[in-house]
Amino acid sequence: MTNVNSLPGPQRIQIQTQSGCNGRCVFCPNEAVLQTDLAQGRMPEPLFRRIIDELAETQPNRISLYLMNEPMADKRLPDLVAYTSEKVPAASTLVTTNGTYLNEERAEALIDAGLKRLKVSLQSLDPEANREIMGYGSEKVIEGVLATKRVMTRKRAKKFDLRVSMVVTRHNREETDRARRFWKRHGVRLVTSALENRGGNIATAEEMNDGEMRKRDNCIRPSREMCVLFNGDAVLCCVDWHRTVVLGNVGDTSVREVWNGPAVTQIRRGFSEQDPSLLPPICINCTESACANSHRRGVKYWFKKLAASI
């Protein structure tokens, strides 16, 4: 019998401390999910601490305190970041936010708590264009990012990684260069990523796309990153919004057991061996824009690592 404590944990993990989001992005299934009967809620702090305590043993590279949600809507976030930073100091802690709650006070609280990376999703500098894409104007978010930059300067937080993120679509493709110049003037890096159909959950993805869509037939997500919902359920990946593949519950068992379970092991084999019969529908239906995506560097490394583990 395998000793559970000898099993590896995920190198990356996303944790949903509280479900829900105030955004209505055209490339996100959030609104459709909220109209279903899927349970919503907040992660109990004892469960959160249990997850982090186990991660302190397995030592992941990255711990992201967000998943399919707006993490700053959870007022406990600075305290949860502080607990994570204390228990797993070597991990890169990351929060991705839409920036609607971001201001100097909240930025300072997160920096003081030990957060290492903050990524703010903003799809257009133009207020009306951003409203069309995300459901709200851009002014408050821009001010929040600039306020965070002021806090970084005042606290001399030179190692704090602040970025703005854009998903390239037909709505903003002409603006990316302008946005990059704008943020560079303020000492903030802009990162762009390719549009996805989120496992088939975005019916209009092809219409919104800048170019052709292609299948994600070499997906590394199930081999690299674990995704834990507020109730402890681990879903297959960050685009499984409708929770079609639940790999297990980290409250009922453990992070290690779920990460090394039979369901996810089969899916990893399916990608490694390019055998669609081993993959669930969400994987088969998943496509992304064929334009360059800087976030997907290192694919060969991850498949080499995966092949060695099977």
Side-chain angles (χ1 to χ4, degrees):
M1 180 179 293
T2 303
N3 181 1
V4 172
N5 292 331
S6 68
L7 294 173
Q11 296 212 16
R12 298 182 183 182
I13 187 169
Q14 292 188 41
I15 303 173
Q16 184 186 75
T17 69
Q18 176 176 300
S19 65
C21 180
N22 60 333
R24 294 295 181 268
C25 299
V26 294
F27 49 77
C28 177
N30 171 52
E31 186 169 14
V33 169
L34 293 178
Q35 293 173 356
T36 70
D37 59 358
L38 288 170
Q40 308 293 329
R42 304 176 81 198
M43 178 174 285
E45 288 192 36
L47 174 58
F48 178 83
R49 289 194 293 269
R50 173 179 167 176
I51 294 170
I52 298 301
D53 289 347
E54 185 174 351
L55 295 176
E57 299 173 359
T58 62
Q59 289 294 310
N61 296 328
R62 180 188 296 176
I63 302 175
S64 303
L65 300 188
Y66 73 92
L67 174 64
M68 308 172 189
N69 70 336
E70 173 41 52
M72 287 195 177
D74 189 342
K75 294 182 179 180
R76 306 171 300 169
L77 187 61
D79 291 336
L80 302 179
V81 169
Y83 188 83
T84 305
S85 300
E86 176 189 352
K87 294 293 183 178
V88 201
S92 174
T93 47
L94 169 64
V95 165
T96 296
T97 173
N98 62 30
T100 54
Y101 295 94
L102 186 59
N103 54 34
E104 284 199 23
E105 180 182 2
R106 295 198 177 199
E108 184 166 5
L110 290 172
I111 291 173
D112 287 346
L115 185 70
K116 295 179 181 176
R117 297 180 60 190
L118 180 65
K119 185 160 68 173
V120 182
S121 176
L122 183 68
Q123 305 308 312
S124 177
L125 297 171
D126 179 80
E128 291 310 310
N130 199 70
R131 193 181 309 280
E132 180 184 357
I133 302 171
M134 303 188 76
Y136 49 83
S138 58
E139 306 97 326
K140 187 176 180 180
V141 181
I142 293 172
E143 175 52 34
V145 175
L146 298 180
T148 302
K149 189 64 181 178
R150 291 194 295 270
V151 172
M152 291 171 59
T153 300
R154 174 164 50 83
K155 300 184 77 66
R156 299 182 180 179
K158 295 180 180 179
K159 293 185 178 180
F160 186 73
D161 187 346
L162 173 64
R163 304 182 185 187
V164 172
S165 171
M166 289 177 68
V167 177
V168 180
T169 68
R170 63 174 178 81
H171 298 283
N172 61 9
R173 64 189 175 207
E174 303 298 332
E175 192 188 341
T176 54
D177 288 341
R178 175 191 166 216
R180 201 178 307 280
R181 290 193 299 270
F182 174 85
W183 290 116
K184 185 177 181 179
R185 285 200 304 271
H186 293 284
V188 178
R189 179 182 173 188
L190 174 72
V191 294
T192 57
S193 59
L195 175 70
E196 300 180 34
N197 74 352
R198 309 270 176 129
N201 289 317
I202 305 298
T204 58
E206 192 154 354
E207 176 187 338
M208 287 189 292
N209 183 40
D210 180 22
E212 297 181 356
M213 298 292 284
R214 66 183 177 193
K215 282 213 171 272
R216 287 181 61 94
D217 55 4
N218 58 349
C219 185
I220 60 177
R221 284 173 178 160
S223 304
R224 182 175 66 176
E225 191 161 50
M226 190 175 194
C227 295
V228 181
L229 299 177
F230 72 95
N231 61 0
D233 282 347
V235 291
L236 175 60
C237 77
C238 59
V239 304
D240 194 359
W241 283 73
H242 289 277
R243 309 172 195 175
T244 62
V245 182
V246 177
L247 305 173
N249 186 287
V250 298
D252 296 338
T253 55
S254 69
V255 170
R256 288 182 180 95
E257 287 173 286
V258 174
W259 183 244
N260 294 278
V264 71
T265 298
Q266 174 179 302
I267 293 169
R268 290 169 187 158
R269 280 186 54 222
F271 281 117
S272 178
E273 299 173 7
Q274 297 186 343
D275 183 352
S277 70
L278 299 176
L279 299 177
I282 189 170
C283 295
I284 294 172
N285 295 330
C286 200
T287 63
E288 65 179 353
S289 175
C291 70
N293 182 354
S294 61
H295 293 284
R296 298 200 59 211
R297 292 175 181 170
V299 170
K300 290 182 179 179
Y301 164 79
W302 284 105
F303 270 104
K304 183 177 180 181
K305 189 175 183 66
L306 172 61
S309 67
I310 293 177

